Amino acid sequence: MGHVPPDSGVSIDGRPVPVDSGGAFLLGFGRDAAPAAILEIRRGVTIEAHPLVIARRDWPVQRIEGLPRDKAEPDPVAVARIKTEADLLRALRAKVSGEALFLTGLSRPATGIVSGVFGSQRVYNGNAGAPHSGLDIAAAKGEPVRAAADGVVVLAAPDLFLTGQTVMIDHGLGLMSSYAHLSRLDVAPGRKVGRGEVIGAIGATGLATGAHLHWGMSWLEVRIDPASALDLLGESGSSLIPTKQKAQKE
């Protein structure tokens, strides 16, 4: 995350980066990001180029057995449904709001044991699947799930094939969070929520073998590690707001 004078333009490898009215911006790098990137900041005709080095990580392999065959090996009808739902989620992530609501901080959305980490290679019933795109928190069915940060609900789906009952929240500047496998939905699209507000309950809907929350984070179309986002944005959100903006808010 960074801050620039409000009249600045920001890009990463030539792609525009959303900047809010106070000059805040985010960058997100996915599991298989290139080892380097160029951040450019433009003010009028002046361009500053900042080379970035992207650290590599080792990713664990996670084996999941006992999934129903129709979930682990979906038929053509299910495959078509998965594609339609993926297109819907992709379209939601493409809509970027300009206010950095996440500046009030980020917190873990549920209490429980971490049962799956971002980036791990999933093997379902012996068949290799896509890398895990979020953080799994195991807890009893019905335990509360809370909004990880201030934002606006953009999805409250009652039955997605892979993720079951699912909520997505827009936190601004391309940052979104998702909450999957819920047993209950407590919000609807368009609702503004605050960090820590209950949005649903732990469940095992969709592609799940037991009660848990799949917590996902994304920046634009890039899936990012929720644990890394939590390290960056933390719980003491007020420290993320530049002094001038903080004074205006107070």
Side-chain angles (χ1 to χ4, degrees):
M1 191 179 79
H3 291 90
V4 292
D7 60 346
S8 301
V10 179
S11 64
I12 187 76
D13 288 338
R15 177 180 181 175
V17 171
V19 181
D20 87 337
S21 58
F25 69 91
L26 282 173
L27 300 175
F29 298 96
R31 179 186 189 274
D32 299 315
I38 300 295
L39 172 68
E40 289 187 340
I41 300 172
R42 295 179 177 85
R43 295 198 67 192
V45 297
T46 303
I47 300 177
E48 299 176 8
H50 302 272
L52 303 179
V53 176
I54 314 303
R56 305 304 298 171
R57 290 171 59 180
D58 293 325
W59 307 104
V61 175
Q62 188 175 35
R63 301 183 183 278
I64 301 176
E65 301 294 339
L67 286 175
R69 186 170 180 177
D70 63 333
K71 294 288 187 179
E73 303 174 38
D75 60 28
V77 173
V79 169
R81 178 183 168 188
I82 291 170
K83 182 182 183 303
T84 297
E85 293 173 353
D87 289 342
L88 167 65
L89 300 181
R90 191 176 300 109
L92 289 173
R93 292 189 179 99
K95 297 177 181 180
V96 179
S97 55
E99 185 179 0
L101 300 175
F102 58 84
L103 286 176
T104 53
L106 184 74
S107 58
R108 189 166 151 164
T111 300
I113 298 170
V114 173
S115 57
V117 296
F118 175 86
S120 59
Q121 180 68 48
R122 286 286 176 92
V123 179
Y124 299 102
N125 294 356
N127 298 313
H132 191 219
S133 61
L135 182 75
D136 286 346
I137 302 172
K141 181 180 177 181
E143 288 296 305
V145 173
R146 304 175 185 277
D150 293 356
V152 178
V153 176
V154 294
L155 176 75
D159 182 28
L160 298 184
F161 184 87
L162 295 176
T163 57
Q165 296 193 55
T166 305
V167 170
M168 284 181 63
I169 300 175
D170 179 3
H171 305 292
L173 302 190
L175 184 67
M176 289 197 181
S177 59
S178 60
Y179 312 80
H181 309 304
L182 304 179
S183 62
R184 188 184 75 238
L185 301 175
D186 292 341
V187 292
R191 176 169 167 177
K192 293 182 178 180
V193 293
R195 177 166 61 101
E197 184 174 342
V198 175
I199 58 172
I202 295 283
T205 55
L207 183 59
T209 56
H212 73 285
L213 170 68
H214 172 94
W215 174 30
M217 297 288 294
S218 60
W219 177 71
L220 302 178
E221 83 286 355
V222 179
R223 303 295 183 89
I224 59 176
D225 185 357
S228 294
L230 191 58
D231 288 342
L232 173 67
L233 300 177
E235 304 228 6
S236 55
S238 62
S239 64
L240 303 172
I241 304 175
T243 303
K244 184 177 180 180
Q245 277 186 267
K246 198 182 300 184
Q248 290 173 344
K249 289 177 180 290
E250 292 169 351

